[in-house]
């Protein structure tokens, strides 16, 4: 009987992925702007969580490490310890309300100090707006304006007409000749080349605008555009019966034309990158500062202290309050742990990449996730989450954290050089080459070997393609 009981009393340990744990992991890999959205949503849904109106004392970054052993959860991902969610969590609730805040970001004394939102807004002009303005300012009849508006409405962001003349004529209830007449006048609009139906027509409009009717440029565009794309210059010269230098000059002129004339009015939004971490050199040491601008100061609402202690609160209300307390405390602590983890990872990267910060990309060293994980005592998956969509502003420029993690190539001196550093060397070699006699990948590999970097030709090809640099034949210039 005792033997059976001992067999049944078998202890097991397993990781339970609670909703709170999932939230903490999610917060760790969010960008700063995404974290702001999460915090704002929680402020709306949790009445126990509020934004502190008083500016809290700003802590030095080094103080983050001193609190490591005092926080829950200990680490994001696999490093989280079990988190209690029972009544013991709320024992110190009253004292927590009195003294615990999460403070970060820039503080304003009042709404008057904040910049006006409207003052930062502006409407970007589109290609459609620009063309319609020219149409209405030109000598067009009402019927022609109607046709012109239909034509412009079918011009895409690159400046090309994406509807057949017959379709436009049917919509406007007119004949095709009238549509073609208006279209020819729209082709004279700015930007030059707009209203074309294909690439050849777009380039021809630009050539004729420069007065090149009947020139070699026009003849090349009319009959040899495909040969021009494949750089068959000798064949073009032979077919046109002109000197090779004339073809090369024509190719140079055509290369200066814009195949997408409407893109200068493109409505694509510019994506701005905001640094999550700032690294400054103070004396001989590098200091890490976390960018917490925009993150509100969070705390538990003191109003619920009175509600919890009042005699009229029933069990359901008290259970609701306890649940919201746990949710708010977990969010606050998870944000703090997120900031601590990012800070520790950044400090570790700086220790490994000190020479890069001092001397530039040539001194970037090979680094893998395990190196940083072992250095700060965290799991590799945690490091991977931290480095996702996070950017560090350094004295050498702005870099994604993943940039500092790269494989290495051996050198003839027995050391290793980072792959990113090798890519930069390949780029510099190609920038200095004679464009009339571009270097082959094998020649580049030999030049790198002369710089003590052991690299195969196929590796040079791989890195060159990653850099989006063409092959030697594609880089060759005849003029």
């Amino acid at each position: 009987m005792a033997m059976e009981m001992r067999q049944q009393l078998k202890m097991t340990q397993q990781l339970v992925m609670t909703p709170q744990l999932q939230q903490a992991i999610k917060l760790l890999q969010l960008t700063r702007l995404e974290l702001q959205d999460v915090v704002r949503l929680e402020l709306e849904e949790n009445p126990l969580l509020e934004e502190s109106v008083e500016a809290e004392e700003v802590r030095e970054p080094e103080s983050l490490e001193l609190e490591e052993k005092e926080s829950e959860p200990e680490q994001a991902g696999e490093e989280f310890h079990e988190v209690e969610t029972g009544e013991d969590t709320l024992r110190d609730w009253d004292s927590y309300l009195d003294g615990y805040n999460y403070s970060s970001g820039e503080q304003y004394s009042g709404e008057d100090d904040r910049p006006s939102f409207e003052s930062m807004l502006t409407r970007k002009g589109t290609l459609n707006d620009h063309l319609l303005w020219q149409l209405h300012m030109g000598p067009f009849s009402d019927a022609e304006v109607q046709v012109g508006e239909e034509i412009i409405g079918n011009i895409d962001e690159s400046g090309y007409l994406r509807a057949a003349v017959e379709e436009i004529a049917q919509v406007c209830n007119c004949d095709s000749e009238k549509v073609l007449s208006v279209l020819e006048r729209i082709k004279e609009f700015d930007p030059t080349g707009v209203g074309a139906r294909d690439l050849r027509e777009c380039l021809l409009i630009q050539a004729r605008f420069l007065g090149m009717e009947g020139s070699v440029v026009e003849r090349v565009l009319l009959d040899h555009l495909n040969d021009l794309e494949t750089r068959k210059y000798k064949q073009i010269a032979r077919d046109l019966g002109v000197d090779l230098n004339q073809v090369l000059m024509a190719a140079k002129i055509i290369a200066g034309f814009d195949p997408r004339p409407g893109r200068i009015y493109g409505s694509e939004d510019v994506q701005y990158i905001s640094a999550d971490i700032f690294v400054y050199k103070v004396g001989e040491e590098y200091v890490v500062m976390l960018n917490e601008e925009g993150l509100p100061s969070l705390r538990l609402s003191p109003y619920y202290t009175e509600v919890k202690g009042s005699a009229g609160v029933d069990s359901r209300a008290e259970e609701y309050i306890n649940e919201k307390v746990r949710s708010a405390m977990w969010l606050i602590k998870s944000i703090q742990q997120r900031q601590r983890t990012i800070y520790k990872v950044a400090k570790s990267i700086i220790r490994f990449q000190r020479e890069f910060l001092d001397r530039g990309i040539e001194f970037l060293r090979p680094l893998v996730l395990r190196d940083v994980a072992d250095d700060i005592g965290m799991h590799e998956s945690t490091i991977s989450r931290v480095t996702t969509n996070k950017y560090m502003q350094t004295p050498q420029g702005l870099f994604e954290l993943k940039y500092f993690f790269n494989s290495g190539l051996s050198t003839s001196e027995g050391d290793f050089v980072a792959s990113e550093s090798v890519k930069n060397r390949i780029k510099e070699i190609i920038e200095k080459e004679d464009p009339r006699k571009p270097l082959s990948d094998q020649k580049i590999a030999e030049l790198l070997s002369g710089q003590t970097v052991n690299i195969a030709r196929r590796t040079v090809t791989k890195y060159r393609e990653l850099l989006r640099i063409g092959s030697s034949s594609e880089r060759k210039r005849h003029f």
Side-chain angles (χ1 to χ4, degrees):
M1 185 67 177
M3 178 68 69
E4 293 179 357
M5 292 185 64
R6 282 196 298 270
Q7 291 177 349
Q8 293 176 358
L9 295 176
K10 184 180 179 180
M11 298 183 64
T12 61
Q13 183 178 6
Q14 60 180 353
L15 178 65
V16 179
M17 187 67 72
T18 63
Q20 292 88 350
L21 179 56
Q22 292 176 350
Q23 180 198 50
I25 294 175
K26 177 183 177 182
L27 292 183
L28 190 60
Q29 56 193 13
L30 293 180
T31 65
R32 185 170 55 87
L33 297 179
E34 291 171 339
L35 179 60
Q36 292 178 28
D37 293 336
V38 171
V39 171
R40 292 298 179 188
L41 181 61
E42 189 67 20
L43 283 169
E44 294 175 3
E45 295 181 350
N46 191 342
L48 231 98
L49 188 67
E50 69 176 20
E51 183 175 352
S52 176
V53 296
E54 296 180 1
E56 303 293 336
E57 182 180 356
V58 179
R59 297 173 298 169
E60 294 296 328
E62 290 77 3
S63 66
L64 293 172
E65 293 192 32
L66 300 179
E67 300 178 4
E68 181 65 28
K69 296 183 179 180
E70 301 177 3
S71 64
E72 290 186 30
E74 287 294 330
Q75 297 171 6
E78 289 75 358
E79 290 77 25
F80 277 113
H81 292 178
E82 180 182 359
V83 179
E84 298 181 358
T85 57
E87 292 299 324
D88 292 341
T89 308
L90 306 179
R91 289 179 180 174
D92 298 328
W93 190 69
D94 294 334
S95 60
Y96 182 90
L97 289 174
D98 294 335
Y100 195 93
N101 287 329
Y102 172 70
S103 174
S104 63
E106 185 176 359
Q107 304 292 332
Y108 297 93
S109 59
E111 290 296 325
D112 293 339
D113 297 332
R114 297 178 181 272
S116 170
F117 181 71
E118 290 78 6
S119 66
M120 297 183 288
L121 295 178
T122 182
R123 183 176 182 273
K124 185 177 180 179
T126 65
L127 175 64
N128 187 274
D129 293 335
H130 186 55
L131 295 177
L132 286 175
W133 176 79
Q134 295 175 80
L135 176 68
H136 290 287
M137 292 295 103
F140 292 90
S141 65
D142 293 342
E144 290 173 333
V145 167
Q146 180 186 1
V147 175
E149 289 177 345
E150 186 64 27
I151 292 173
I152 292 172
N154 286 282
I155 293 177
D156 65 13
E157 292 185 351
S158 295
Y160 289 88
L161 179 62
R162 296 308 184 188
V165 171
E166 294 76 16
E167 295 176 357
I168 297 174
Q170 185 177 1
V171 172
C172 297
N173 194 24
C174 66
D175 53 47
S176 299
E177 288 74 13
K178 186 172 185 178
V179 176
L180 285 172
S181 174
V182 176
L183 177 59
E184 288 302 315
R185 296 170 66 183
I186 289 177
K187 289 179 183 178
E188 299 175 0
F189 285 3
D190 176 72
T192 307
V194 73
R197 284 160 285 186
D198 55 39
L199 176 62
R200 176 180 281 104
E201 185 178 9
C202 178
L203 299 178
L204 280 170
I205 293 172
Q206 297 177 59
R208 290 165 181 168
F209 176 78
L210 296 176
M212 295 184 176
E213 294 90 342
S215 67
V216 175
V217 171
E218 184 182 53
R219 294 170 65 189
V220 169
L221 292 175
L222 284 172
D223 303 320
H224 295 280
L225 184 59
N226 293 333
D227 293 333
L228 182 65
E229 292 174 353
T230 55
R231 305 189 181 192
K232 297 178 180 178
Y233 302 125
K234 292 183 179 179
Q235 181 178 329
I236 296 174
R238 184 170 56 252
D239 292 346
L240 294 180
V242 298
D243 185 72
L244 177 61
N245 289 330
Q246 290 181 276
V247 175
L248 294 177
M249 182 58 67
K252 185 175 182 180
I253 293 172
I254 293 171
F257 293 164
D258 191 347
R260 296 175 55 198
R263 62 182 171 180
I264 60 174
Y265 294 96
S267 59
E268 298 177 359
D269 293 331
V270 178
Q271 299 295 323
Y272 295 96
I273 296 176
S274 177
D276 301 272
I277 305 157
F278 294 99
V279 177
Y280 302 99
K281 189 171 186 180
V282 180
E284 296 299 321
E285 298 298 325
Y286 286 98
V287 177
V288 174
M289 300 289 291
L290 299 184
N291 183 6
E292 297 184 330
E293 181 180 0
L295 290 178
S297 304
L298 300 180
R299 70 175 186 180
L300 291 173
S301 174
Y303 168 75
Y304 286 90
T305 306
E306 303 176 2
V307 176
K308 181 178 174 61
S310 61
V313 177
D314 58 23
S315 59
R316 292 182 59 187
E318 186 171 355
E319 181 182 353
Y320 173 80
I321 292 175
N322 291 341
E323 178 186 350
K324 293 303 180 181
V325 167
R326 286 190 290 268
S327 177
M329 289 178 64
W330 187 274
L331 177 64
I332 292 172
K333 292 181 179 181
S334 295
I335 292 176
Q336 279 202 317
Q337 181 58 40
R338 173 189 184 273
Q339 302 302 85
R340 272 191 293 269
T341 305
I342 293 175
Y343 176 79
K344 292 177 68 176
V345 170
K347 289 286 289 185
S348 179
I349 290 174
I350 288 174
R351 283 194 290 270
F352 282 108
Q353 302 292 5
R354 172 67 188 251
E355 280 197 273
F356 162 78
L357 296 174
D358 286 337
R359 307 169 69 179
I361 190 173
E362 288 295 322
F363 297 88
L364 186 69
R365 61 176 292 183
L367 187 66
V368 295
L369 295 174
R370 178 172 291 278
D371 295 331
V372 174
D374 293 342
D375 181 44
I376 61 179
M378 291 185 176
H379 196 275
E380 290 179 49
S381 63
T382 303
I383 309 303
S384 178
R385 293 186 183 102
V386 169
T387 55
T388 300
N389 295 323
K390 307 291 191 309
Y391 290 84
M392 177 188 291
Q393 181 68 54
T394 74
Q396 297 295 337
L398 180 66
F399 301 93
E400 187 178 10
L401 290 186
K402 288 185 180 295
Y403 176 83
F404 298 102
F405 296 88
N406 56 96
S407 58
L409 296 174
S410 63
T411 67
S412 57
E413 299 175 351
D415 298 324
F416 288 89
V417 60
S419 58
E420 287 294 334
S421 177
V422 176
K423 290 179 187 177
N424 187 68
R425 294 191 191 187
I426 293 174
K427 183 179 178 182
E428 290 179 346
I429 289 173
I430 292 176
E431 288 176 347
K432 295 177 181 178
E433 70 181 3
D434 184 351
R436 293 171 294 182
K437 296 179 181 180
L439 301 172
S440 65
D441 292 342
Q442 180 60 42
K443 182 60 177 179
I444 295 175
E446 294 173 359
L447 291 175
L448 289 173
S449 297
Q451 299 177 11
T452 73
V453 178
N454 300 323
I455 187 171
R457 180 202 57 79
R458 62 179 179 274
T459 307
V460 172
T461 303
K462 173 185 174 183
Y463 288 172
R464 175 179 55 74
E465 291 174 349
L466 289 173
L467 292 169
R468 297 183 179 181
I469 298 175
S471 62
S472 57
S473 60
E474 293 173 334
R475 301 197 307 272
K476 187 173 183 179
R477 296 290 180 267
H478 294 269
F479 45 81

